[in-house]
Amino acid sequence: MANEKRVDLTAKVINLCQRRGIIFPSCEIYAVHAGFFDYGPLGVQFKRNIENAWWNRFVVSREDVVGIEGALLSPRTLWKASGHLDSFTDPLVECKKCGLRSRADHLVEDALKINVDGLSVKHLQQMIDKHKLACPKCKGTLLPIRTFNLMFKTHVGATADEADEAFLRPETAQLIFADYKLTQFVSRKQFPFGIAQVGKAFRNEIAPRNFVFRCREFTQMEIEYFIRPNKLDDCLLLGADLLDQEMVFFTAACQENKTDALRMTLRDALAKRVVATRWHAYWLAECFNWIVSLGINPARLRLRQHTRDELSHYSSETWDVEYEYPWGWKELMGIANRTDFDLKQHAKASGKDLAFHDQATNEKIVPYVIEPSLGADRLLFTLLMDAYRETGEGTDVKTVLSLSPQIAPVFVSIFPLMKKDGLAEKAREIFNQLRKDGFVADYDEGGSIGRRYARSDEAGTPFAITVDYDSLKDNTVTLRERDSGKQRRIPSNELAAVLRA
Ligand code: GAP
């Protein structure tokens, strides 16, 4: 889609989500809090397909990664140790007059139409002062920036004691660190190995926006990959295919010097110390390639390094895979080198020895961690934006979601040409058989064939089968491909094999 057409793409995708019940605001009948969303029948299947594709690629098909599922609520002690209680904050500005609270970086971005990713609180305050920025609602004076902790707090049991305070996890990662020792023991994994988790995370975002891109409850898919500290460059998985792959690197230096991003191979990025370690480089390429394998246009992806001011408290180096959204280049996922920060913090706070005792060398090892972290909702929204197309002209414009068959919510639609003369019965027979064969299928007999194709294309269904009068005679059906519109006749008993291929 050309750039000018992308301007209203966000509104169109959100409209489609609401119209087809893919995603919609949670508790809409009460409409109290922004930033919470519910997924309808198409949306929940789509999200599950994405999570399953991630799990299959990064857990099931790998020998070096195992999975866990941690609790959503954890004690204050864990979040104090991880640093989230003190440092997991966003810059908040409040209007002196009307009390409106905004995120300082968003306010500066919206007012000055610039990207301020990576700027410190001090720098943001300087920009607000220099440009005399005022409240976006009433033009009142803004109070100085404060920091606002993003965690949701509650108490466990009928108590108000600080010791019983608990927080909904703002990242799934900390449960992996808390469970790390036991998980390594029971899975008998040697370094390097990873622990993966898919689950909910909660952040009391000051200003949730852009639909599910930034919400208050979302799903993360995270891996903590544990490596001996002296083996960060010892990555046998980084073969020539990955080393020779070109990607776009928007380095911290490019951002500081205001120069363009650099296109180079991973081999050059390592040689020039753009990326510090080979394991980090490996995970950058793995994540980038998986995202592309889901059908996202690689020309809209780049790697952006966090600037020194922007790095999280636990990170020595972080790269975001960014996507070019209609509202600019923004983080789709992050890949951080968390060093040994978290395990050391938890060992100190809990008094438990979290080091690995290497019997061969009699060494105590606290591993370093590379962390690929991706939001399932954000990825889903990105896939929708990237797959959205319009065909036809004027009043005949039709929406098509060109989603990859591996993640599309419905794999195949089945239509009888007419409801009468036994066509509906024949079509239902095929529908039931395909579901037995493991396909997510949809049966639709309402309206003209053209309208049914349009409904199916709009839901991103890659294949449609039509049962007509010839089907009753020779047991063949028409199989139509969504993107090419190509149709071919095939025997119905070969459908499962053809669709699988
Ligand atoms: N454990 C590291 C971590 O949580 P993060 O960059 O804060 O790092 C990782 O989050 C990913 O989670 C992001 O790249 C994004 O995909 C997703 N994410 C973060 N905040 C989100 C939000 N408010 N709404 C939706 N997705 C979010």
Side-chain angles (χ1 to χ4, degrees):
M1 191 176 286
N3 269 339
E4 65 276 12
K5 284 204 175 165
R6 297 191 88 232
V7 175
D8 58 354
L9 175 65
T10 316
K12 285 181 174 174
V13 172
I14 294 174
N15 179 292
L16 173 66
C17 283
Q18 310 226 19
R19 193 159 38 84
R20 295 296 303 256
I22 300 171
I23 312 170
F24 40 89
S26 186
C27 279
E28 209 173 4
I29 53 168
Y30 295 106
V32 178
H33 296 128
F36 297 92
F37 292 89
D38 293 343
Y39 286 71
L42 285 174
V44 70
Q45 186 64 54
F46 187 23
K47 191 167 171 199
R48 209 156 272 191
N49 291 352
I50 291 170
E51 290 169 10
N52 287 344
W54 184 88
W55 191 261
N56 284 335
R57 167 76 174 251
F58 293 109
V59 185
V60 178
S61 71
R62 294 184 66 118
E63 206 186 335
D64 58 344
V65 179
V66 292
I68 65 158
E69 183 174 304
L72 303 187
L73 206 57
S74 1
R76 178 188 173 86
T77 37
L78 178 119
W79 301 110
K80 179 73 186 160
S82 69
H84 284 79
L85 215 46
D86 298 321
S87 309
F88 196 61
T89 55
D90 269 344
L92 170 77
V93 273
E94 194 171 339
C95 173
K96 212 171 172 175
K97 198 164 139 205
C98 75
L100 180 79
R101 294 170 150 209
S102 321
R103 232 178 97 162
D105 49 345
H106 290 173
L107 184 130
V108 174
E109 274 190 353
D110 293 346
L112 304 180
K113 305 279 174 266
I114 52 164
N115 191 337
V116 298
D117 280 345
L119 289 196
S120 64
V121 170
K122 195 171 139 205
H123 206 143
L124 287 170
Q125 185 66 61
Q126 282 167 356
M127 294 186 89
I128 290 176
D129 296 343
K130 181 174 160 202
H131 296 280
K132 299 195 174 26
L133 299 185
C135 170
K137 194 168 149 204
C138 75
K139 302 284 167 248
T141 311
L142 297 171
L143 293 164
I145 298 178
R146 289 184 286 140
T147 50
F148 172 78
N149 194 293
L150 299 181
M151 287 196 294
F152 285 102
K153 184 166 82 174
T154 186
H155 282 89
V156 175
T159 153
D161 293 351
E162 191 178 275
D164 294 315
E165 272 175 18
F167 295 84
L168 281 172
R169 59 188 191 183
E171 60 170 8
T172 67
Q174 291 308 320
L175 279 299
I176 297 182
F177 295 122
D179 296 346
Y180 152 78
K181 196 77 194 270
L182 178 74
T183 310
Q184 179 174 33
F185 179 72
V186 295
S187 62
R188 292 179 285 114
K189 292 290 169 204
Q190 303 289 326
F191 300 123
F193 77 98
I195 303 178
Q197 184 173 197
V198 176
K200 287 277 185 162
F202 303 82
R203 296 183 188 179
N204 196 2
E205 297 282 352
I206 298 169
R209 59 185 194 171
N210 289 328
F211 205 48
V212 292
F213 177 84
R214 185 177 308 286
C215 37
R216 289 179 163 137
E217 175 179 340
F218 54 98
T219 300
Q220 283 190 320
M221 308 187 286
E222 298 199 293
I223 301 170
E224 307 304 319
Y225 199 80
F226 301 94
I227 306 156
R228 284 174 193 261
N230 59 353
K231 301 271 185 192
L232 287 163
D233 277 323
D234 215 345
C235 179
L236 291 177
L237 302 180
L238 191 61
D241 52 336
L242 294 184
L243 284 167
D244 291 334
Q245 182 176 329
E246 275 194 351
M247 288 184 287
V248 174
F249 295 83
F250 195 32
T251 65
C254 291
Q255 294 161 69
E256 274 146 21
N257 302 329
K258 304 210 179 324
T259 54
D260 286 345
L262 310 164
R263 171 172 280 280
M264 65 178 117
T265 62
L266 209 49
R267 192 187 298 281
D268 284 345
L270 281 162
K272 293 178 180 153
R273 307 282 299 158
V274 167
V275 180
T277 67
R278 291 171 77 85
W279 267 113
H280 207 152
Y282 164 76
W283 278 108
L284 292 182
E286 270 296 287
C287 295
F288 187 96
N289 290 344
W290 182 68
I291 291 168
V292 172
S293 79
L294 299 180
I296 288 192
N297 178 359
R300 293 207 187 280
L301 294 172
R302 72 176 182 189
L303 300 169
R304 186 183 71 83
Q305 186 175 25
H306 283 204
T307 61
R308 204 189 303 268
D309 280 342
E310 181 189 4
L311 276 178
S312 304
H313 58 277
Y314 50 73
S315 172
S316 67
E317 179 180 353
T318 296
W319 288 87
D320 287 342
V321 178
E322 288 193 334
Y323 179 80
E324 193 182 13
Y325 295 94
W327 58 93
W329 286 98
K330 289 287 167 199
E331 170 183 355
L332 167 56
M333 74 170 296
I335 301 144
N337 180 344
R338 291 185 80 125
T339 68
D340 53 6
F341 175 87
D342 300 272
L343 287 178
K344 281 194 167 154
Q345 286 293 106
H346 289 306
K348 201 156 82 186
S350 66
K352 301 279 184 328
D353 180 8
L354 296 182
F356 172 76
H357 192 183
D358 190 333
Q359 308 288 346
T361 59
N362 206 20
E363 271 177 296
K364 283 211 157 186
I365 297 161
V366 181
Y368 264 47
V369 173
I370 302 290
E371 177 200 62
S373 173
L374 172 58
D377 315 75
R378 192 173 288 187
L379 175 60
L380 181 151
F381 190 38
T382 311
L383 284 160
L384 288 177
M385 306 272 257
D386 207 69
Y388 187 96
R389 317 256 177 277
E390 285 176 354
T391 60
E393 301 273 311
T395 52
D396 200 28
V397 172
K398 293 197 177 71
T399 303
V400 180
L401 285 180
S402 288
L403 295 173
S404 153
Q406 63 168 317
I407 46 162
V410 178
F411 193 82
V412 57
S413 305
I414 294 106
F415 311 138
L417 188 63
M418 306 276 191
K419 282 187 225 169
K420 54 185 186 178
D421 301 333
L423 292 180
E425 287 75 9
K426 179 78 185 160
R428 276 206 169 274
E429 212 178 277
I430 292 171
F431 170 56
N432 290 336
Q433 185 56 47
L434 285 174
R435 283 188 305 150
K436 269 192 209 143
D437 290 335
F439 294 98
V440 179
D442 181 49
Y443 176 82
D444 188 355
E445 58 178 28
S448 70
I449 271 288
R451 287 188 68 155
R452 284 182 265 166
Y453 278 140
R455 271 202 293 270
S456 171
D457 289 349
E458 194 181 60
T461 307
F463 304 105
I465 291 164
T466 309
V467 174
D468 56 19
Y469 288 99
D470 283 342
S471 310
L472 299 179
K473 284 187 235 148
D474 61 8
N475 232 350
T476 63
V477 294
T478 302
L479 177 66
R480 171 184 173 269
E481 285 176 36
R482 176 198 60 207
D483 292 338
S484 64
K486 272 194 203 144
Q487 304 201 0
R488 56 183 164 143
R489 208 69 203 170
I490 52 170
S492 61
N493 60 0
E494 287 174 22
L495 268 174
V498 171
L499 287 172
R500 234 169 241 129

